[in-house]
Amino acid sequence: MNVLVVGGGGREHAIIKKLKENPSVKTIYAVPGNGGIAADAVCVPSIGAKDIGKIVDFAKSHSIGFAVVAPDDPLALGCVDRLHEAGVPCFGPDAKAARIEASKVFSKNLMKKYGIPTARYEVFDDPAKALTYLKTASFPIVVKADGLALGKGVLIPRNLAEAEDAVKSIMEDKAFGDSGDEIVIEEFLTGPEVSVLAFTDGTAIVPMVSSMDHKRAGDGDTGLNTGGMGTIAPNPCYTPEAARTCMETIFLPTLAAMRAEGCPFKGCLYFGLMLTPDGPKVIEYNCRFGDPETQVVLPLLKTDLLTVMQAVENETLGDLQVEWHSGAAACVILASGGYPGGYEKGKEITIPQGLPVTVYHAGDALAEDGTLVTSGGRVLGVTAVGGTLQAALETAYAAAEHIHFEGKYLRHDIGRRALAELEKQALCAAEG
Ligand code: AMP
Ligand code: GLY
């Protein structure tokens, strides 16, 4: 079977490597793919992930038996709807269901209507009303642009002056474009954050191994927000008890709510959760695999990925036993110096053979002479799997030392909070 994967980052590379394990998969095409993905799939750089018409034509002319649409933009633009119309089975939500990520106003209203725990909030389409509301608010507070903003549309002002600036920059200066026509202002929650990706066919749900992202650019969670500088899985804060509560109060109610609204969700639903003193609450939903969460979650999947994705598409997920490897995974992102601000591109990348890790390529390209060069902010994700989180982290960091490109930047404390949590849990168990 020929498989098409839409997207061209580290997440897509992780999906492709996993799909390749299925012997019935003949050729995998990546649209557009990237320099490193070209070692595992046939890349089609002339078609962008948002070129829906071209993607559908390509699928038809290349006998695609299954398509995976990974990024948020094509999902929100209806790529899955159009592929289905053309008779191509695929993995991913349709445009109506993708609103769970594409519109924060939609997802917040959904949670309110169906009693799913989340931060208290107000919606504004008029900056003057938002500014009046802020005068009586308490701080810090959270200001979110309604639409997709590359994960950057969230500001957390600490006082009234900063909050006024946030509203003006999103709604008046359009710092995130049209995604800021409406905003959500919500209560600031505290507690450990957990990412839970889940396979769902609209009714059955299979949560994957939990994970923890590290969104800020600098060590100690300092600096600007990024797309994610590293991940670990499983997330030790996500105890079996928290998992049970989330299933009952968040996961199943969310699926039921989407069905009741006439837009059942099929694909990978990403729950961004905060384990607050009042119980788990939803910070955000994403309508897709997380990046770089996928780079630690899929390596721990034991069951064949294509089989799971086909069960989602065929709505038979409830009949499938999905299994996971024990142990832990860690992914350290190697970024271009300057990211998430400006950075140079075109730096030659060297990766020695035989490293005991999997290198997922996120932002690179093949130069005319065939050398691999940097082309994006997040360049590579170095993932190691180990019996323990400590072992996985040591392997990933040791390998990262041997991979080179000019200006290479990485955080040195990926997993540190998770290790501290594990230590705390071990102490509690010993005291018993
Ligand atoms: P989002 O894009 O909605 O995931 O938000 C990005 C980041 O902002 C999250 O990962 C949280 O760290 C933080 N954040 C979002 N909403 C809240 C909230 N209500 N309270 C505290 N932190 C938040
Ligand atoms: N790592 C966060 C995301 O994929 O949205």
Side-chain angles (χ1 to χ4, degrees):
M1 179 196 290
N2 292 338
V3 175
L4 175 68
V5 174
V6 176
R11 164 185 56 200
E12 288 75 15
H13 198 185
I15 292 170
I16 287 167
K17 277 194 178 285
K18 206 72 194 170
L19 290 172
K20 270 184 73 171
E21 292 175 10
N22 182 315
S24 74
V25 171
K26 202 170 103 207
T27 305
I28 302 184
Y29 295 96
V31 174
N34 67 36
I37 291 177
D40 288 300
V42 178
C43 294
V44 190
S46 59
I47 304 180
K50 291 196 273 185
D51 295 337
I52 313 285
K54 288 186 187 167
I55 291 170
V56 174
D57 290 343
F58 184 91
K60 286 198 287 197
S61 59
H62 289 76
S63 316
I64 297 299
F66 198 79
V68 179
V69 183
D72 48 3
D73 281 321
L75 290 166
L77 289 168
C79 192
V80 166
D81 311 54
R82 298 283 309 282
L83 284 165
H84 276 152
E85 282 160 25
V88 182
C90 41
F91 181 86
D94 61 17
K96 261 176 101 178
R99 284 178 303 165
I100 200 163
E101 171 171 4
S103 168
K104 298 231 188 253
V105 174
F106 173 83
S107 65
K108 293 299 289 191
N109 289 345
L110 185 88
M111 288 186 269
K112 185 188 264 181
K113 183 169 170 187
Y114 294 93
I116 297 163
T118 188
R120 284 193 304 271
Y121 72 102
E122 298 287 337
V123 176
F124 298 94
D125 59 9
D126 175 355
K129 288 199 177 129
L131 293 171
T132 306
Y133 170 81
L134 285 175
K135 291 201 182 352
T136 58
S138 44
F139 297 93
I141 202 161
V142 183
V143 183
K144 300 185 173 184
D146 172 53
L148 298 175
L150 294 173
K152 293 179 189 140
V154 176
L155 301 172
I156 307 189
R158 286 164 300 183
N159 52 47
L160 180 60
E162 281 183 16
E164 287 172 345
D165 285 347
V167 168
K168 285 180 190 150
S169 84
I170 297 179
M171 298 192 85
E172 290 172 0
D173 306 339
K174 300 277 182 212
F176 309 112
D178 292 344
S179 74
D181 288 349
E182 278 193 291
I183 58 167
V184 171
I185 299 185
E186 70 178 30
E187 171 198 8
F188 178 75
L189 300 176
T190 55
E193 281 188 59
V194 180
S195 307
V196 178
L197 283 56
F199 295 109
T200 172
D201 62 5
T203 311
I205 182 161
V206 175
M208 301 181 217
V209 172
S210 62
S211 54
M212 184 192 288
D213 194 3
H214 298 70
K215 287 200 169 112
R216 306 288 284 273
D219 285 358
D221 291 322
T222 54
L224 293 171
N225 255 321
T226 69
M229 291 300 296
T231 38
I232 59 99
N235 184 331
C237 303
Y238 192 64
T239 59
E241 191 198 336
R244 270 192 302 277
T245 308
C246 288
M247 182 59 89
E248 275 166 37
T249 64
I250 295 174
F251 302 164
L252 292 172
T254 299
L255 297 192
M258 293 297 277
R259 288 196 304 273
E261 291 297 307
C263 47
F265 188 99
K266 285 171 67 172
C268 172
L269 184 52
Y270 170 133
F271 298 89
L273 305 168
M274 199 170 266
L275 307 178
T276 78
D278 302 327
K281 294 191 180 179
V282 177
I283 290 282
E284 64 163 348
Y285 294 111
N286 291 324
C287 65
R288 51 172 175 83
F289 284 97
D291 189 342
E293 284 87 344
T294 308
Q295 291 90 310
V296 285
V297 169
L298 286 188
L300 295 174
L301 176 64
K302 199 190 254 181
T303 308
D304 171 59
L305 178 62
L306 182 64
T307 305
V308 182
M309 289 181 157
Q310 286 175 320
V312 167
E313 169 71 338
N314 300 331
E315 300 178 18
T316 55
L317 185 63
D319 303 333
L320 192 71
Q321 191 66 35
V322 179
E323 292 185 296
W324 300 90
H325 295 291
S326 58
C331 175
V332 176
I333 297 292
L334 307 184
S336 298
Y339 173 78
Y343 52 83
E344 290 180 23
K345 298 181 184 177
K347 308 292 181 197
E348 184 173 348
I349 301 170
T350 52
I351 307 173
Q353 296 284 321
L355 294 175
V357 293
T358 306
V359 179
Y360 296 114
H361 294 247
D364 60 18
L366 289 170
E368 268 175 26
D369 63 359
T371 42
L372 199 60
V373 296
T374 65
S375 68
R378 291 187 296 173
V379 179
L380 303 170
V382 181
T383 292
V385 172
T388 61
L389 177 61
Q390 176 85 42
L393 283 163
E394 279 171 14
T395 308
Y397 271 115
E401 289 279 312
H402 293 98
I403 299 174
H404 298 291
F405 55 87
E406 195 188 313
K408 176 180 88 175
Y409 172 76
L410 67 158
R411 266 181 71 162
H412 293 90
D413 63 344
I414 301 302
R416 196 169 290 169
R417 252 178 313 132
L419 288 176
E421 175 65 26
L422 285 169
E423 218 165 278
K424 201 175 89 189
Q425 289 174 3
L427 267 178
C428 282
E431 283 166 8

